[in-house]
Amino acid sequence: MSDAGTGVLGLFGGTFDPLHIAHLRLAIEAREELGLADVRFIPAGNPALRDAPHCPAVHRLAMVERALATMPGFSVDASEVLSAEAAPGPSYTIDTLERQRRLQGAQRPLVLLLGADAFARLEAWHRWRELFELAHIAVATRPGHELRVMRSGIPGDGAGDTALDREFAARRGAAADLAGAPAGRIVPFAITALEVSASAIRRRLAQGLSVRHLVPDAVLDYIDSHQIYRTQHGH
Ligand code: ATP
């Protein structure tokens, strides 16, 4: 438990292929809006439900580390990347949360941060219902990915049809609820709308176009000096 701290801890998993400004805004606004003591970025090792990342984990991790180096209150956890290198199976968020729960102790509130697109696909995740036993989930708005239950919050308006809709209705809470329990709430929150995606950034790079100000300068420097994403393979 040497890693255990105090206050509500945000956990932000992603492929970060590459890290971009909407990832940073999500983390910054989550910290402010939800009153988080710290946000820990957790680059995915081998994501289970999507194509293999375009860039090796060591680069994706290095880009996150460089971008966060000058941002107090934000940190990086390399454990998924390291365990994927040690054992090349898929990485599951449930394993990451179990590890964080061990590190942080049973009582510390943990909040898994997701964009609305990732939340909408939650039922496909390995052991998804157990996620709520280990952490709260906070869902950030994302352009083009409306959260159905966010429309009115009233059952019967088209939401409430799926198991995830029902979990959302039952667990829905507000930022103020997060500190009161270690896990179990689902809290939607609005962030600055930025229609930025890693896939569009990769496409621009492959076409030789600029991505300045879509990614932090430290990430741009890294991409340039390592010549990554510049060749067209995949999308
Ligand atoms: P790709 O375009 O390759 O699918 P991405 O831009 O969605 O990548 P990820 O690393 O897969 O980036 O995303 C990590 C997390 O950040 C996810 O929970 C995702 O929903 C969220 N996220 C990414 N971009 C945005 C955005 N523009 N607005 C809100 N949330 C976002």
Side-chain angles (χ1 to χ4, degrees):
M1 292 228 218
S2 55
D3 192 28
T6 53
V8 182
L9 175 62
L11 301 171
F12 186 28
T15 317
F16 306 128
D17 189 20
L19 180 86
H20 55 65
I21 56 163
H23 295 135
L24 293 180
R25 288 308 309 174
L26 188 157
I28 290 168
E29 294 183 32
R31 186 158 175 264
E32 292 171 345
E33 187 83 4
L34 307 176
L36 307 178
D38 183 49
V39 175
R40 199 150 297 173
F41 284 61
I42 308 178
N46 305 313
L49 292 176
R50 46 188 293 157
D51 295 342
H54 291 255
C55 205
V58 56
H59 286 318
R60 293 185 287 108
L61 174 65
M63 289 187 278
V64 177
E65 282 171 347
R66 280 165 172 71
L68 299 185
T70 53
M71 293 175 58
F74 301 87
S75 56
V76 191
D77 180 323
S79 59
E80 266 197 35
V81 166
L82 297 176
S83 56
E85 277 172 5
S91 315
Y92 296 117
T93 299
I94 190 79
D95 298 327
T96 298
L97 292 187
E98 281 176 340
R99 180 174 179 280
Q100 283 296 333
R101 188 42 83 200
R102 280 195 301 277
L103 287 171
Q104 305 299 334
Q107 293 310 319
R108 185 172 191 190
L110 301 178
V111 186
L112 180 67
L113 304 177
L114 295 177
D117 59 311
F119 181 74
R121 295 190 300 265
L122 201 72
E123 282 176 81
W125 290 24
H126 187 52
R127 295 165 54 197
W128 70 277
R129 286 174 191 274
E130 292 171 58
L131 298 170
F132 304 115
E133 292 161 25
L134 292 162
H136 302 291
I137 295 185
V139 188
T141 48
R142 181 170 190 175
H145 299 275
E146 193 190 3
L147 263 175
R148 289 199 301 156
V149 183
M150 286 175 84
R151 246 188 258 144
S152 68
I154 301 164
D157 73 342
D161 308 336
T162 69
L164 181 60
D165 289 334
R166 288 191 291 277
E167 291 287 355
F168 197 169
R171 296 179 177 281
R172 187 177 180 142
D177 299 321
L178 295 171
R185 293 290 197 158
I186 300 176
V187 177
F189 68 108
I191 63 169
T192 303
L194 291 166
E195 203 163 347
V196 175
S197 71
S199 37
I201 288 169
R202 292 193 302 271
R203 271 196 301 276
R204 292 187 68 82
L205 287 164
Q207 291 164 10
L209 301 173
S210 167
V211 299
R212 182 172 293 281
H213 303 309
L214 292 174
V215 299
D217 287 347
V219 168
L220 186 60
D221 290 345
Y222 191 93
I223 289 171
D224 285 343
S225 61
H226 291 81
Q227 286 296 301
I228 45 182
Y229 302 117
R230 290 288 185 193
T231 50
Q232 194 128 28
H233 51 79
H235 49 90

